Structures are given as structure tokens and as C-alpha cells.
Amino acid sequence: MSLVKLTIKGISYSQTQNGAYALILNEVDGERKLPIVIGAFEAQSIAIALEKEIKPPRPLTHDLFKSFADRFDIVVKQVIIHKLVDGVFYSSIICERDKIEEIIDARTSDAIALALRFSAPIFTYKNILDKAGIYLNANPSETENNEDEGVLSTPETFGLESDDEKSNDGYNKFSLSELHEFLEIAVQDEDYEKAARIRDEISKRES
């Protein structure tokens, strides 16, 4: 399976769930976006790492991990979002110490927060992006006036949710064609958190 490199486009506040954010990852050599719902703490940590000028008075958890790793000559080489199951993304942190490589399982939000601090690249597999990626401005005639770039602020992430929590959105009541229509509307409205939830329901149906 081929790897696809991702960059962080930004973070947007959830309009439907208090304390939740949507981290938007962007395909480097393409137009697809990968929205991932994350919690407030992870969103703050990622936002601080993006804003190089911001230095918290005391180290955050991810800053502490970076200091610990530096002290013992551990380097994060890359992060890979390697699996998507029922709307939950699974990631691995590829580390190296004394030329010995180790793979550590991690939540995607934590993995990305650390990748930023180590200036490590973020990847996912093509089949995951094919399944969960969202095209923006797919129809230029309808969205040519949509200023997509710069819409998001530089703060956001992925909260692990149960299937029961997802079903509360009520999307399981609609047909696939209706879900695809809802997804298009959510993307046009730049409600990436809602788009991620609808996409997850579609992925569950089509898997």
C-alpha cells in the first residue's frame, strides 16, 4: 500500500459538539481533505505547536514528551495514520534511537501533536484517504466564490467516539444518497466536523 503525505490545513471549532474540534489534514499532492474530530486539549496542543511564537509558561504534556525524548536521544521520524475502523483513526509513531527503529501505537491527535514538535512528516495510506477523504471545490462552477484557503484558524483534532454516540446524530436513518447530499452541503458550509461524522456513517455502510 502506498503512503500519501499530509499537511495540517487548520482547526475549526465544532458547531454541534461542545469542546470538540475538527483537525483538517490536506493531501500534499492532491485536493482531498481528511477531517478528524479531536478534543479541546489536543486542539490546544496542536495549535500551540503551529504557532511557533506561543510559549506556554509551563510545558504541556506533548512538550514534556519532547523534552524527555531529546534528553534520551529519541527522535520521532514520522507519523502514519494506518487504520480506520468504524470512524476511528489509528496511528503509529515511528521513533529512532541509536539507529534502532521502534513503532509506537498512539491516538492520532497525540501523534500529530508530537509530529509537529519533531518536525516529522505525517502520512496515511492511499486506501484510507480513498475511503475517508473529502473533496473540496469538486464542482468549481458552484464553489468558485468559496474562499476555502484561510477559512480555518490554526487551532484543532480526534476524539474516540463510540458507535452509540455517533448514532445519536441520526444519520443512520437516512439513505446513502441522502447522506452524500448532506456531505456535499456540509463541505460547502465548511462544517468539517459535521462532514466527518457523515463521512464516517457512509464509510460504515459501504465497508
Side-chain angles (χ1 to χ4, degrees):
M1 292 183 289
S2 60
L3 288 172
V4 179
K5 189 173 183 180
L6 303 170
T7 59
I8 297 176
K9 177 176 173 60
I11 302 167
S12 63
Y13 186 73
S14 170
Q15 300 178 21
T16 59
Q17 183 178 348
N18 290 335
Y21 292 77
L23 172 67
I24 313 301
L25 301 176
N26 192 77
E27 182 182 15
V28 170
D29 296 320
E31 299 179 352
R32 287 176 292 185
K33 306 293 187 291
L34 191 66
I36 300 177
V37 180
I38 63 174
F41 172 77
E42 293 82 3
Q44 179 191 48
S45 181
I46 291 172
I48 287 175
L50 288 169
E51 295 290 343
K52 304 295 185 182
E53 301 81 17
I54 299 177
K55 297 293 182 184
R58 301 293 296 160
L60 300 177
T61 303
H62 299 111
D63 297 321
L64 177 61
F65 183 96
K66 174 67 164 57
S67 299
F68 184 90
D70 288 344
R71 184 66 58 90
F72 291 96
D73 298 321
I74 300 169
V75 178
V76 171
K77 305 293 290 185
Q78 62 183 4
V79 163
I80 300 176
I81 304 171
H82 64 84
K83 186 168 65 173
L84 171 61
V85 179
D86 293 334
V88 177
F89 291 89
Y90 294 79
S91 294
S92 295
I93 300 174
I94 314 301
C95 303
E96 185 178 274
R97 180 173 183 264
D98 294 335
K99 297 183 180 180
I100 298 175
E101 190 173 274
E102 298 286 348
I103 300 176
I104 300 174
D105 182 46
R107 294 190 308 165
T108 298
S109 53
D110 291 329
I112 291 175
L114 290 174
L116 285 170
R117 285 162 171 80
F118 283 89
S119 299
I122 303 166
F123 296 94
T124 191
Y125 288 109
K126 182 179 181 298
N127 65 323
I128 293 178
L129 196 57
D130 290 341
K131 182 178 180 181
I134 294 174
Y135 278 100
L136 297 184
N137 294 338
N139 189 339
S141 63
E142 294 182 3
T143 58
E144 59 184 0
N145 294 324
N146 181 5
E147 297 294 334
D148 178 56
E149 298 301 324
V151 166
L152 302 178
S153 60
T154 19
E156 308 196 50
T157 59
F158 189 69
L160 304 184
E161 302 164 299
S162 68
D163 289 336
D164 289 339
E165 288 174 325
K166 291 194 189 73
S167 64
N168 289 336
D169 291 328
Y171 295 129
N172 57 338
K173 300 175 183 177
F174 297 98
S175 66
L176 268 176
S177 60
E178 290 174 319
L179 288 174
H180 281 289
E181 290 179 7
F182 294 155
L183 178 60
E184 183 178 345
I185 293 172
V187 169
Q188 290 178 359
D189 291 342
E190 296 162 2
D191 189 346
Y192 298 105
E193 186 263 345
K194 181 186 290 185
R197 294 179 183 278
I198 298 171
R199 176 211 61 203
D200 291 343
E201 179 64 28
I202 292 173
S203 297
K204 286 167 59 180
R205 303 265 194 99
E206 296 180 341
S207 61

mmCIF file of all heavy atoms in Angstrom, residues 87-108:
data_model
loop_
_atom_site.group_PDB
_atom_site.id
_atom_site.type_symbol
_atom_site.label_atom_id
_atom_site.label_comp_id
_atom_site.label_asym_id
_atom_site.label_seq_id
_atom_site.Cartn_x
_atom_site.Cartn_y
_atom_site.Cartn_z
ATOM 1 N N GLY A 87 -15.015 4.677 11.932
ATOM 2 C CA GLY A 87 -14.844 6.109 12.145
ATOM 3 C C GLY A 87 -13.701 6.487 13.054
ATOM 4 O O GLY A 87 -13.473 7.672 13.299
ATOM 5 N N VAL A 88 -12.969 5.498 13.584
ATOM 6 C CA VAL A 88 -11.848 5.770 14.483
ATOM 7 C C VAL A 88 -10.531 5.578 13.733
ATOM 8 O O VAL A 88 -10.291 4.526 13.147
ATOM 9 C CB VAL A 88 -11.884 4.843 15.723
ATOM 10 C CG1 VAL A 88 -10.660 5.098 16.611
ATOM 11 C CG2 VAL A 88 -13.165 5.059 16.510
ATOM 12 N N PHE A 89 -9.689 6.615 13.755
ATOM 13 C CA PHE A 89 -8.388 6.544 13.103
ATOM 14 C C PHE A 89 -7.342 6.012 14.090
ATOM 15 O O PHE A 89 -7.313 6.417 15.249
ATOM 16 C CB PHE A 89 -7.952 7.930 12.614
ATOM 17 C CG PHE A 89 -8.780 8.458 11.477
ATOM 18 C CD1 PHE A 89 -9.931 9.199 11.725
ATOM 19 C CD2 PHE A 89 -8.420 8.207 10.164
ATOM 20 C CE1 PHE A 89 -10.698 9.698 10.681
ATOM 21 C CE2 PHE A 89 -9.172 8.701 9.107
ATOM 22 C CZ PHE A 89 -10.319 9.435 9.372
ATOM 23 N N TYR A 90 -6.479 5.126 13.607
ATOM 24 C CA TYR A 90 -5.391 4.572 14.409
ATOM 25 C C TYR A 90 -4.066 5.015 13.792
ATOM 26 O O TYR A 90 -3.898 4.978 12.574
ATOM 27 C CB TYR A 90 -5.461 3.039 14.432
ATOM 28 C CG TYR A 90 -6.677 2.498 15.149
ATOM 29 C CD1 TYR A 90 -7.916 2.468 14.516
ATOM 30 C CD2 TYR A 90 -6.584 2.020 16.451
ATOM 31 C CE1 TYR A 90 -9.039 1.975 15.168
ATOM 32 C CE2 TYR A 90 -7.697 1.521 17.108
ATOM 33 C CZ TYR A 90 -8.920 1.505 16.456
ATOM 34 O OH TYR A 90 -10.031 1.016 17.105
ATOM 35 N N SER A 91 -3.131 5.398 14.662
ATOM 36 C CA SER A 91 -1.855 5.920 14.164
ATOM 37 C C SER A 91 -0.668 5.256 14.840
ATOM 38 O O SER A 91 -0.785 4.695 15.938
ATOM 39 C CB SER A 91 -1.786 7.435 14.388
ATOM 40 O OG SER A 91 -2.745 8.101 13.600
ATOM 41 N N SER A 92 0.470 5.342 14.169
ATOM 42 C CA SER A 92 1.733 4.841 14.702
ATOM 43 C C SER A 92 2.775 5.952 14.653
ATOM 44 O O SER A 92 2.816 6.732 13.694
ATOM 45 C CB SER A 92 2.233 3.644 13.879
ATOM 46 O OG SER A 92 1.352 2.551 13.991
ATOM 47 N N ILE A 93 3.590 6.012 15.697
ATOM 48 C CA ILE A 93 4.715 6.936 15.742
ATOM 49 C C ILE A 93 5.980 6.132 15.478
ATOM 50 O O ILE A 93 6.270 5.169 16.194
ATOM 51 C CB ILE A 93 4.808 7.641 17.106
ATOM 52 C CG1 ILE A 93 3.525 8.431 17.397
ATOM 53 C CG2 ILE A 93 6.027 8.560 17.154
ATOM 54 C CD1 ILE A 93 3.489 9.024 18.789
ATOM 55 N N ILE A 94 6.720 6.498 14.443
ATOM 56 C CA ILE A 94 7.963 5.811 14.113
ATOM 57 C C ILE A 94 9.111 6.574 14.777
ATOM 58 O O ILE A 94 9.395 7.727 14.434
ATOM 59 C CB ILE A 94 8.193 5.748 12.588
ATOM 60 C CG1 ILE A 94 6.911 5.329 11.866
ATOM 61 C CG2 ILE A 94 9.352 4.814 12.261
ATOM 62 C CD1 ILE A 94 6.364 3.986 12.281
ATOM 63 N N CYS A 95 9.754 5.926 15.761
ATOM 64 C CA CYS A 95 10.827 6.557 16.520
ATOM 65 C C CYS A 95 12.168 5.882 16.223
ATOM 66 O O CYS A 95 12.216 4.748 15.744
ATOM 67 C CB CYS A 95 10.553 6.458 18.019
ATOM 68 S SG CYS A 95 8.990 7.170 18.541
ATOM 69 N N GLU A 96 13.237 6.608 16.549
ATOM 70 C CA GLU A 96 14.572 6.040 16.349
ATOM 71 C C GLU A 96 15.490 6.482 17.478
ATOM 72 O O GLU A 96 15.482 7.643 17.898
ATOM 73 C CB GLU A 96 15.144 6.486 15.004
ATOM 74 C CG GLU A 96 16.482 5.843 14.678
ATOM 75 C CD GLU A 96 17.004 6.277 13.316
ATOM 76 O OE1 GLU A 96 16.621 5.650 12.312
ATOM 77 O OE2 GLU A 96 17.783 7.262 13.274
ATOM 78 N N ARG A 97 16.262 5.530 17.980
ATOM 79 C CA ARG A 97 17.284 5.816 19.000
ATOM 80 C C ARG A 97 18.461 4.884 18.762
ATOM 81 O O ARG A 97 18.287 3.669 18.652
ATOM 82 C CB ARG A 97 16.728 5.605 20.407
ATOM 83 C CG ARG A 97 17.733 5.889 21.511
ATOM 84 C CD ARG A 97 17.087 5.829 22.873
ATOM 85 N NE ARG A 97 18.006 6.170 23.934
ATOM 86 C CZ ARG A 97 18.688 5.262 24.655
ATOM 87 N NH1 ARG A 97 18.523 3.973 24.401
ATOM 88 N NH2 ARG A 97 19.517 5.660 25.608
ATOM 89 N N ASP A 98 19.643 5.466 18.672
ATOM 90 C CA ASP A 98 20.855 4.686 18.398
ATOM 91 C C ASP A 98 20.695 3.831 17.147
ATOM 92 O O ASP A 98 21.083 2.654 17.110
ATOM 93 C CB ASP A 98 21.207 3.799 19.598
ATOM 94 C CG ASP A 98 21.594 4.611 20.824
ATOM 95 O OD1 ASP A 98 22.055 5.762 20.642
ATOM 96 O OD2 ASP A 98 21.414 4.103 21.943
ATOM 97 N N LYS A 99 20.063 4.425 16.117
ATOM 98 C CA LYS A 99 19.843 3.770 14.821
ATOM 99 C C LYS A 99 18.934 2.545 14.911
ATOM 100 O O LYS A 99 18.883 1.737 13.984
ATOM 101 C CB LYS A 99 21.179 3.385 14.189
ATOM 102 C CG LYS A 99 22.068 4.586 13.880
ATOM 103 C CD LYS A 99 23.349 4.169 13.190
ATOM 104 C CE LYS A 99 24.223 5.396 12.881
ATOM 105 N NZ LYS A 99 25.482 5.034 12.208
ATOM 106 N N ILE A 100 18.224 2.430 16.012
ATOM 107 C CA ILE A 100 17.242 1.351 16.174
ATOM 108 C C ILE A 100 15.849 1.960 16.078
ATOM 109 O O ILE A 100 15.517 2.890 16.812
ATOM 110 C CB ILE A 100 17.410 0.622 17.518
ATOM 111 C CG1 ILE A 100 18.790 -0.027 17.602
ATOM 112 C CG2 ILE A 100 16.316 -0.433 17.698
ATOM 113 C CD1 ILE A 100 19.092 -0.659 18.943
ATOM 114 N N GLU A 101 15.043 1.440 15.177
ATOM 115 C CA GLU A 101 13.704 1.988 14.936
ATOM 116 C C GLU A 101 12.652 1.241 15.745
ATOM 117 O O GLU A 101 12.681 0.020 15.849
ATOM 118 C CB GLU A 101 13.368 1.896 13.444
ATOM 119 C CG GLU A 101 12.110 2.646 13.038
ATOM 120 C CD GLU A 101 11.909 2.657 11.540
ATOM 121 O OE1 GLU A 101 12.463 3.544 10.872
ATOM 122 O OE2 GLU A 101 11.206 1.759 11.038
ATOM 123 N N GLU A 102 11.748 1.992 16.328
ATOM 124 C CA GLU A 102 10.641 1.422 17.099
ATOM 125 C C GLU A 102 9.334 2.027 16.588
ATOM 126 O O GLU A 102 9.291 3.186 16.176
ATOM 127 C CB GLU A 102 10.787 1.722 18.592
ATOM 128 C CG GLU A 102 12.028 1.154 19.248
ATOM 129 C CD GLU A 102 11.931 -0.346 19.462
ATOM 130 O OE1 GLU A 102 10.813 -0.896 19.304
ATOM 131 O OE2 GLU A 102 12.971 -0.958 19.800
ATOM 132 N N ILE A 103 8.267 1.232 16.645
ATOM 133 C CA ILE A 103 6.933 1.697 16.244
ATOM 134 C C ILE A 103 6.039 1.704 17.475
ATOM 135 O O ILE A 103 5.892 0.684 18.157
ATOM 136 C CB ILE A 103 6.335 0.784 15.155
ATOM 137 C CG1 ILE A 103 7.242 0.770 13.918
ATOM 138 C CG2 ILE A 103 4.937 1.259 14.772
ATOM 139 C CD1 ILE A 103 6.778 -0.180 12.840
ATOM 140 N N ILE A 104 5.444 2.863 17.765
ATOM 141 C CA ILE A 104 4.622 3.029 18.963
ATOM 142 C C ILE A 104 3.198 3.387 18.557
ATOM 143 O O ILE A 104 2.972 4.303 17.760
ATOM 144 C CB ILE A 104 5.200 4.132 19.880
ATOM 145 C CG1 ILE A 104 6.625 3.755 20.318
ATOM 146 C CG2 ILE A 104 4.311 4.346 21.099
ATOM 147 C CD1 ILE A 104 7.314 4.849 21.112
ATOM 148 N N ASP A 105 2.234 2.662 19.101
ATOM 149 C CA ASP A 105 0.824 2.940 18.839
ATOM 150 C C ASP A 105 0.414 4.225 19.562
ATOM 151 O O ASP A 105 0.862 4.480 20.687
ATOM 152 C CB ASP A 105 -0.029 1.764 19.315
ATOM 153 C CG ASP A 105 -1.497 1.972 19.037
ATOM 154 O OD1 ASP A 105 -1.830 2.375 17.909
ATOM 155 O OD2 ASP A 105 -2.324 1.750 19.952
ATOM 156 N N ALA A 106 -0.426 5.036 18.926
ATOM 157 C CA ALA A 106 -0.823 6.310 19.530
ATOM 158 C C ALA A 106 -2.169 6.769 18.990
ATOM 159 O O ALA A 106 -2.558 6.385 17.880
ATOM 160 C CB ALA A 106 0.222 7.386 19.253
ATOM 161 N N ARG A 107 -2.855 7.588 19.779
ATOM 162 C CA ARG A 107 -4.026 8.273 19.246
ATOM 163 C C ARG A 107 -3.559 9.233 18.162
ATOM 164 O O ARG A 107 -2.473 9.808 18.261
ATOM 165 C CB ARG A 107 -4.754 9.057 20.341
ATOM 166 C CG ARG A 107 -5.373 8.197 21.423
ATOM 167 C CD ARG A 107 -6.272 9.037 22.313
ATOM 168 N NE ARG A 107 -5.578 10.227 22.811
ATOM 169 C CZ ARG A 107 -6.191 11.269 23.367
ATOM 170 N NH1 ARG A 107 -7.507 11.298 23.459
ATOM 171 N NH2 ARG A 107 -5.501 12.296 23.808
ATOM 172 N N THR A 108 -4.372 9.412 17.159
ATOM 173 C CA THR A 108 -3.978 10.263 16.038
ATOM 174 C C THR A 108 -3.699 11.692 16.490
ATOM 175 O O THR A 108 -2.740 12.324 16.024
ATOM 176 C CB THR A 108 -5.063 10.239 14.956
ATOM 177 O OG1 THR A 108 -5.199 8.899 14.473
ATOM 178 C CG2 THR A 108 -4.710 11.146 13.793
#
